[in-house]
């Protein structure tokens, strides 16, 4: 008995959601296996997505699978850094069930806390000012936590790029500080 593996195809709404999340998508005409990457240069009209003559799937590369797994894990986090917007402001997702996006706009020299930032809530492309003095404690804590995670990840990446984790001193320190469970 052989097991047949069927690749999942995506509905148009799933394609738009995946593209918004930064996933690579491939497309092909129905009844063919001539998959091509869906890029900005592809000449597909809006009607082509819903016409039923084209099928879509996640790109079949190892990096895409890893990226989808990491994204699924991150959606379980209460808060996370989403990236910078077009004006270089920091964007964060906060919440699990009905998450909201918050934007931190620098208003001076930024410190570890939110002292040097103006907080906005993003909704349908509009930014609404959030007063720090009246903001909920859980929101401020979530933003600070996500910001610290982002900064620690940047710091670790710099250490990785400079070869710190491969140094003999670090290896000695790591061996002497292993936790025993």
């Amino acid at each position: 008995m052989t097991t047949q593996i069927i690749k999942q195809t995506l509905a148009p709404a799933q394609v738009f959601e995946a593209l918004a999340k930064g996933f690579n998508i491939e497309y092909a005409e129905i009844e063919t296996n001539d998959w091509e990457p869906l890029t900005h240069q592809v000449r597909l009209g809006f009607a082509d997505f819903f016409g039923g003559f084209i099928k879509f799937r996640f790109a079949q590369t190892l990096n895409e699978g890893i990226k989808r797994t990491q994204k699924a894990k991150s959606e379980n986090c209460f808060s996370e850094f989403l990236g910078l917007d077009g004006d270089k402001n920091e964007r964060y997702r906060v919440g699990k069930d009905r998450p909201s996006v918050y934007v931190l706009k620098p208003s001076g020299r930024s410190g570890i806390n939110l002292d040097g930032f103006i907080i906005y809530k993003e909704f349908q492309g509009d930014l609404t000012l959030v007063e720090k003095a009246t903001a909920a404690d859980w929101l401020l804590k979530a933003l600070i936590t996500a910001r610290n995670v982002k900064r620690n990840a940047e710091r670790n990446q710099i250490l990785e790029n400079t070869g710190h984790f491969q140094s003999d001193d670090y290896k000695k320190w790591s061996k002497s500080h292993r936790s025993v469970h």
Side-chain angles (χ1 to χ4, degrees):
M1 183 173 161
T2 60
T3 304
Q4 182 181 9
I5 298 175
I6 300 171
K7 298 291 185 195
Q8 179 188 22
T9 57
L10 302 172
Q14 292 173 306
V15 172
F16 294 128
E17 181 180 351
L19 290 171
K21 290 183 176 181
F23 296 126
N24 290 329
I25 301 295
E26 295 177 337
Y27 74 99
E29 289 184 18
I30 297 293
E31 305 299 326
T32 71
N33 278 322
D34 298 331
W35 293 98
E36 294 182 41
L38 183 59
T39 65
H40 296 292
Q41 290 79 27
V42 171
R43 295 193 165 266
L44 289 179
F46 192 74
D48 293 325
F49 282 85
F50 297 96
F53 297 105
I54 297 179
K55 56 187 178 180
F56 302 92
R57 71 178 186 188
F58 288 111
Q60 303 298 302
T61 65
L62 180 61
N63 285 344
E64 281 304 303
I66 291 170
K67 190 161 71 169
R68 282 198 314 273
T69 302
Q70 288 174 338
K71 193 68 174 175
K73 284 181 184 177
S74 75
E75 288 176 351
N76 293 325
C77 298
F78 185 73
S79 59
E80 74 171 327
F81 175 65
L82 297 176
L84 300 175
D85 68 7
D87 296 325
K88 305 263 191 264
N89 300 319
E90 298 176 11
R91 296 179 70 240
Y92 294 89
R93 179 189 54 77
V94 177
K96 282 187 180 181
D97 296 331
R98 289 176 288 177
S100 297
V101 175
Y102 291 88
V103 176
L104 299 182
K105 186 174 185 173
S107 64
R109 189 161 187 259
S110 62
I112 294 172
N113 292 326
L114 303 173
D115 297 337
F117 290 97
I118 300 171
I119 304 171
Y120 293 95
K121 184 175 184 179
E122 182 181 291
F123 184 71
Q124 296 180 348
D126 294 327
L127 297 178
T128 305
L129 180 65
V130 175
E131 293 290 339
K132 285 187 227 176
T134 58
D137 285 342
W138 62 264
L139 172 62
L140 299 176
K141 286 178 183 176
L143 289 170
I144 289 169
T145 299
R147 192 150 193 280
N148 286 339
V149 167
K150 170 190 149 310
R151 289 167 50 122
N152 288 342
E154 289 170 347
R155 180 180 176 274
N156 286 339
Q157 188 60 53
I158 290 169
L159 291 173
E160 178 73 32
N161 292 346
T162 60
H164 170 74
F165 295 123
Q166 301 305 318
S167 69
D168 290 334
D169 288 339
Y170 177 77
K171 288 178 183 176
K172 281 183 205 172
W173 180 88
S174 178
K175 283 182 183 178
S176 67
H177 287 81
R178 286 188 181 145
S179 62
V180 179
H181 294 287

